[in-house]
Amino acid sequence: MAKNNFRGMPGGMNQAAMMKQAQKMQQELIRMQEEQENKVYTATAGGGMVSASVNGKHEVVELKINPEAVDPDDVEMLQDMVIAAVNEAMRAGDADAASNMSRLTGGLNLGGLF
């Protein structure tokens, strides 16, 4: 039988260096996740009549409604503006998280690995 003469990966990266790099990446990921959770994203709807702010944990942390937007005869429009503002703020947070992850992984698509 042939002896296993594994000397590491191409380019000289051995297993220990690869593990060290993976640990560094994991620490950076944890730091980025904590940072992401503390960020706040704000979006408006209805020409600024409704403003919603969410954090990186997808929690609504602030909701502002201009009194002029309150029309008892058209509650549905106000509801739609609130939903639109909250959804847009969440999309902004998700896009920021995806951008940060892309920078961490060097653009590699890890398919939900992290």
Side-chain angles (χ1 to χ4, degrees):
M1 283 194 120
K3 263 181 127 174
N4 185 357
N5 289 326
F6 179 74
R7 292 192 180 133
M9 297 182 70
M13 182 179 263
N14 63 28
Q15 203 169 16
M18 192 167 111
M19 287 300 293
K20 186 175 181 179
Q21 182 66 25
Q23 288 173 340
K24 182 179 176 186
M25 188 179 210
Q26 184 179 25
Q27 290 170 348
E28 181 66 10
L29 175 65
I30 290 168
R31 184 195 64 76
M32 284 175 54
Q33 286 174 332
E34 289 172 352
E35 189 177 286
Q36 183 72 29
E37 288 178 356
N38 293 317
K39 286 184 179 179
V40 175
Y41 303 90
T42 302
T44 61
M49 298 297 272
V50 173
S51 171
S53 297
V54 299
N55 63 22
K57 293 185 270 187
H58 291 127
E59 298 169 334
V60 176
V61 295
E62 184 176 54
L63 180 64
K64 293 181 181 178
I65 300 173
N66 185 319
E68 294 175 23
V70 180
D71 180 355
D73 296 327
D74 195 1
V75 174
E76 286 182 21
M77 183 175 69
L78 178 57
Q79 291 168 337
D80 289 344
M81 286 189 289
V82 169
I83 290 168
V86 170
N87 286 337
E88 184 57 32
M90 295 236 194
R91 278 191 288 276
D94 290 344
D96 188 43
S99 174
N100 288 336
M101 181 59 69
S102 179
R103 280 197 315 269
L104 177 66
T105 62
L108 293 175
N109 181 358
L110 301 178
L113 185 61
F114 287 100

